[in-house]
Amino acid sequence: MGKKVRARWASILFAVLFLVQFQWAGGIPGAFAADKDTILSASSDYGQVLVKRGDAIYANERRVSFSWVRNDSFSAKGYSFSRYLSASGTEADVQSAQFGSYTSDYTGYIPHAFVVSLDKIYFISSVMEYKQNGMEVGKWTRSSEDAFGLQTPRNVYSYETPVKLVINADTGVVVDLASQINPYYKVKPDSSNFNPTANPTIPTELPLTPTNITAIVSGNNVQLKWLGAANAMQYEVEQDGTVVKTLYGNQYSAGNLKYDTAYSFRIRSKNNLGVSEWSEPFSARTLLSIPLLRFQPLSEANQLNWEAVTGAESYEIKLDGGAAINVGNVTSYLHEGLKPSSQHTYSIRAISSNNESEWSKVVNQTTLPAGVEGLNITGTTNKSITLAWSAVSGATSYEVEVDGVTVPVNNLTYTTTGLEGYSEHTFRVRAKNAAGVGAWSKIVTGVTLLNTPVAKATSTTSAITLSWEPIAGA
């Protein structure tokens, strides 16, 4: 038997086995039995596919969580209204699905959508309303009834009313509750419309090879996209000679790759009859890693530091949103000539002759406050000393050092108590803000007053005698 004849019989045998193991859900054919997937719904070109895999359901390889929440509120003078709705189901509750486009006042236009019918959902409805007329005391009312007047939370079954959740096929997110249980479609003027498309047919020919491969590179991730191939139901992605993924839809994300590294990808189509030829190799290089900025704030400057990035030959910095400045192959930069307690923004990226990193996130950094001026002693007793100083612009608080011990202060004055009479003490103050503490002020020395003597009197018929204990320093 010739090679062509053997190949033809192999294709026929594969097709027969596929049809024998064919599965149906909502009128849509199941995918490859070897993959243990069941297609619930799909676009005519299999570009958007809702598939059940094990106990989970995926929309274009994104797992679907069958939950939906809507919050609405409105308030005016003497009136307030808020409504909370939520619906949740499970994969086991899914009965059927249909692909098409969906439009509603709530969601807007969704060109690729799956409308999924469920056997039941767990529904919660809560409404709070406040009304006040003239000078009367306002009153709150609360209701937990659904659109049929039944108390929630409760399970709503499909035999009561059709229960359908709308999934955005491009994101895999449930975006609407298309059901009369939703009060916005039962008693409100909101409208919705679903335009279903024809179910996809089973291919009768081998798929064509994918073309028009493009990539979006971000950091160490590569997002591949390609033009959907005729007769394709799935795609296989090969990375550096190894098949890494079999998937539905025409995009694939390769994540957590090595930075500044070239990768080679090939893609081929797959259907019930077999696979296409591999595409031409497509090369994509990940970016340099983003430098991590650290700061050492000063009162009139900010010192920027970062670790060297492998492969980087220089670095660019944006200061306060300005144009990029190439600072060369260094790992620090001094942004000087700034005002104390002033806020500044920074971002950085690494550069090489054939690559670069993404810009880092913009970071805010404040300079330290200026030094305190005008520190002086404003009051003294034999047991206390009171200080005062001038306010520092941008300071959020102050620290007073008393004889080497630091005390936090929120005002512009401070009194230290419990001192010995005629004792010497040293003081200095510094300002504080979100960036840290400024420079210490000059040191001020203060001396408490002498203690007051306590006199004792003794008397005779002709004299009075006063006596007292000696006072230190007197």
Side-chain angles (χ1 to χ4, degrees), residues 113-374:
F114 295 109
V115 173
V116 180
S117 297
L118 291 91
D119 180 57
K120 68 177 180 179
I121 59 168
Y122 187 70
F123 187 69
I124 298 175
S125 175
S126 176
V127 176
M128 292 187 67
E129 191 173 28
Y130 173 83
K131 292 182 179 179
Q132 182 183 25
N133 295 318
M135 300 300 293
E136 295 180 2
V137 177
K139 182 180 179 181
W140 282 99
T141 58
R142 180 173 180 175
S143 172
S144 297
E145 293 182 352
D146 63 18
F148 297 105
L150 300 175
Q151 288 292 323
T152 67
R154 75 181 185 96
N155 285 324
V156 180
Y157 293 88
S158 58
Y159 61 76
E160 298 179 51
T161 183
V163 178
K164 298 180 179 181
L165 293 176
V166 181
I167 301 170
N168 186 325
D170 295 321
T171 64
V173 176
V174 175
V175 294
D176 204 0
L177 171 61
S179 171
Q180 290 293 297
I181 198 68
N182 186 337
Y184 290 94
Y185 299 135
K186 182 175 178 63
V187 297
K188 297 292 182 181
D190 288 10
S191 63
S192 65
N193 183 53
F194 176 60
N195 292 315
T197 60
N199 293 334
T201 58
I202 303 170
T204 58
E205 298 179 359
L206 286 172
L208 297 183
T209 302
T211 59
N212 292 26
I213 301 173
T214 60
I216 298 175
V217 180
S218 58
N220 62 339
N221 300 304
V222 176
Q223 177 77 36
L224 294 173
K225 291 186 178 182
W226 55 90
L227 191 65
N231 299 316
M233 297 178 70
Q234 285 183 301
Y235 297 91
E236 290 183 343
V237 179
E238 180 191 81
Q239 178 181 313
D240 294 334
T242 301
V243 176
V244 293
K245 188 72 174 179
T246 300
L247 52 82
Y248 298 96
N250 57 345
Q251 56 182 310
Y252 170 70
S253 181
N256 297 319
L257 305 175
K258 293 181 179 180
Y259 286 100
D260 194 26
T261 303
Y263 291 88
S264 178
F265 299 93
R266 294 196 304 172
I267 302 167
R268 68 181 178 185
S269 308
K270 185 177 181 181
N271 67 13
N272 55 298
L273 299 178
V275 295
S276 72
E277 296 292 330
W278 285 106
S279 67
E280 290 296 321
F282 181 88
S283 181
R285 190 179 192 89
T286 54
L287 303 180
L288 296 172
S289 61
I290 300 174
L292 178 62
L293 278 175
R294 300 190 308 274
F295 296 93
Q296 180 185 348
L298 305 171
S299 63
E300 297 182 355
N302 279 323
Q303 175 74 43
L304 283 64
N305 302 289
W306 58 92
E307 295 290 335
V309 170
T310 301
E313 297 170 1
S314 64
Y315 301 88
E316 289 186 342
I317 297 176
K318 288 183 180 180
L319 308 175
D320 295 328
I325 302 171
N326 193 307
V327 297
N329 194 8
V330 296
T331 56
S332 65
Y333 179 80
L334 182 64
H335 188 200
E336 53 189 344
L338 310 178
K339 293 182 178 180
S341 290
S342 58
Q343 191 174 82
H344 303 274
T345 60
Y346 303 94
S347 61
I348 187 173
R349 70 173 177 177
I351 301 289
S352 71
S353 58
N354 64 346
N355 207 350
E356 61 188 27
S357 76
E358 295 178 302
W359 283 100
S360 68
K361 292 182 179 179
V362 175
V363 180
N364 295 308
Q365 180 61 48
T366 304
T367 55
L368 296 179
V372 173
E373 299 288 342

Side-chain angles (χ1 to χ4, degrees), residues 391-406:
V392 174
S393 177
T396 56
S397 62
Y398 298 87
E399 290 182 346
V400 177
E401 185 185 80
V402 181
D403 297 331
V405 178
T406 302

Side-chain angles (χ1 to χ4, degrees), residues 70-84:
R70 178 172 179 175
N71 287 290
D72 287 306
S73 61
F74 172 80
S75 61
K77 186 176 181 180
Y79 181 78
S80 180
F81 173 88
S82 64
R83 184 195 298 274
Y84 170 84

